[in-house]
Amino acid sequence: KMRMCVYRDLHRRGYWLTGGLKYGADFLAYKGDPRLHHADYMVVIAGQQETIQPSHIVSIGRVGAAASKLGLIASLGLDQEVHYVTVKYSSHLETNN
C-alpha cells in the first residue's frame, strides 16, 4: 500500500518513476522522460513505525552522491499523506564566512 501511495504522489507531482533496485532504492524519480533526463532522486520508502538507522541514512546519501542523485526518504504519515525527507551527502562542513 505504501509503495503505491508514494508512486501515485510522486506521479501526481509530475515525476516519472522507474525501479531503483540498482541503487538500493525503491524508485528513481525523474523530472521528465527517463530516456531524456537523468534521475533527480533515489526514493527509499520507510514504514510509519520503522526506525531508520543513521548508517542507512548515510548510505542513502553516499550512494546518491556517487550517482549524482539526492536521496529521498518517503513515508506515509498517520494522516495518510506522503511525507519526504531529502538526504544529501557532503564530505565536508561548509563555513559561514
Side-chain angles (χ1 to χ4, degrees), residues 24-92:
D26 293 288
F27 300 115
L28 295 179
Y30 302 79
K31 288 184 181 168
D33 186 335
R35 295 172 295 177
L36 305 173
H37 294 85
H38 182 76
D40 295 285
Y41 298 104
M42 292 175 18
V43 183
V44 176
I45 300 171
Q48 287 177 339
Q49 302 301 321
E50 183 179 347
T51 300
I52 302 175
Q53 296 300 318
S55 59
H56 189 206
I57 295 170
V58 170
S59 69
I60 292 167
R62 290 187 75 159
V63 170
S68 300
K69 298 167 186 29
L70 287 175
L72 188 66
I73 300 173
S75 182
L76 190 62
L78 296 175
D79 58 1
Q80 298 303 302
E81 295 291 322
V82 181
H83 300 273
Y84 301 98
V85 174
T86 55
V87 179
K88 180 181 178 183
Y89 177 79
S90 178
S91 61
H92 65 281

